[in-house]
Amino acid sequence: MINKQSIWFVTLFSLILVLSIYYVTMKDSSLAAILENNNSNTTVPVNVDVEESSLLVSLRVSEDESVLKEMENYQSILMDTTKTTEEKNNAYNSLMALQTKKSDEEKIEKKIKETYQLDSFAKISKDTISIVIASTDHSNTLANNIIRSVQELFDEEKYITVKFQNA
C-alpha cells in the first residue's frame, strides 16, 4: 500500500529531477541573461544605521538566556512521562505566565520607544517593573512621565523604577 509520505517523496524527487534537467539543458546565454538581471538589481547600496547601547544589549541577552533556561525546564517537565498531571499543569501555567511576562516587557519597551523615542530595557518581577533607559537626559520629569505611561498599561498598581544610563 502506498502511503502519503512516499507519495510526497516521489513528487518532490520528481520536481527536483525535472528542475535539474531543465538547468542542465538550459543554454548558457539565457542563464547569463538571468544572472545579469539579478546582479543589476542587487547593486543598489543600502546604508543601515542601527545603534543600541551595549548595556541594553547585554541586559537583554542575559534576560533572554535565563528565560530560555526556564522555558526549557518547564518544557522538559511537560514532556516527562513520569510527572503527574498536577506537575504538568503547574509547568504549563508557569510557561504561559513566562510568555505573558515577556510580552508585557516588549509592550513596555515599544511604548517607550514610540512615545519618547528612547531605547529601553524592561524587566518584570512579580509587581515590580525595572526599566533601564539609554539616554544622556537624566531628568526627573522624564522618569515620572515614563512611570505614568507604563502604569497605564496595567490595571493593578505596579512598583516601577526607571534608571538612566548614558547612551
Side-chain angles (χ1 to χ4, degrees):
M1 195 82 205
I2 299 176
N3 60 16
K4 288 183 181 181
Q5 188 176 10
S6 58
I7 290 175
W8 275 107
F9 176 75
V10 170
T11 305
L12 291 175
F13 182 74
S14 301
L15 181 63
I16 292 171
L17 183 65
V18 168
L19 288 174
S20 61
I21 291 172
Y22 175 74
Y23 174 75
V24 169
T25 59
M26 199 171 168
K27 293 181 183 176
D28 288 335
S29 61
S30 60
L31 182 61
I34 291 172
L35 291 175
E36 188 175 299
N37 286 340
N38 285 344
N39 288 340
S40 66
N41 291 341
T42 59
T43 58
V44 178
V46 177
N47 293 332
V48 179
D49 292 330
V50 178
E51 291 185 24
E52 190 170 6
S53 170
S54 61
L55 174 71
L56 295 181
V57 171
S58 64
L59 287 172
R60 202 166 277 126
V61 167
S62 65
E63 177 67 17
D64 286 346
E65 286 176 356
S66 66
V67 167
L68 282 175
K69 285 179 185 176
E70 283 186 68
M71 290 179 87
E72 288 174 2
N73 183 26
Y74 293 137
Q75 288 173 348
S76 66
I77 292 173
L78 287 173
M79 297 300 175
D80 193 356
T81 56
T82 61
K83 299 292 182 185
T84 66
T85 306
E86 185 177 338
E87 290 173 321
K88 287 184 179 185
N89 284 338
N90 291 338
Y92 178 76
N93 291 336
S94 298
L95 191 60
M96 290 298 112
L98 198 62
Q99 289 177 350
T100 303
K101 181 182 94 164
K102 189 71 177 158
S103 164
D104 288 343
E105 290 171 350
E106 289 172 0
K107 266 195 276 187
I108 292 169
E109 292 174 7
K110 183 179 176 186
K111 181 159 185 149
I112 292 171
K113 184 69 173 175
E114 289 174 351
T115 309
Y116 303 101
Q117 288 76 38
L118 295 171
D119 290 326
S120 62
F121 170 76
K123 180 176 174 146
I124 299 175
S125 177
K126 296 181 183 176
D127 64 339
T128 303
I129 301 174
S130 301
I131 301 171
V132 177
I133 305 288
S135 172
T136 54
D137 180 23
H138 297 217
S139 75
N140 291 336
T141 0
L142 179 61
N144 287 333
N145 290 338
I146 290 171
I147 290 171
R148 284 189 197 102
S149 62
V150 168
Q151 183 60 54
E152 290 173 358
L153 295 173
F154 299 97
D155 295 332
E156 64 277 353
E157 192 72 24
K158 298 284 186 179
Y159 179 72
I160 303 170
T161 60
V162 175
K163 181 178 180 183
F164 290 99
Q165 292 291 327
N166 289 334

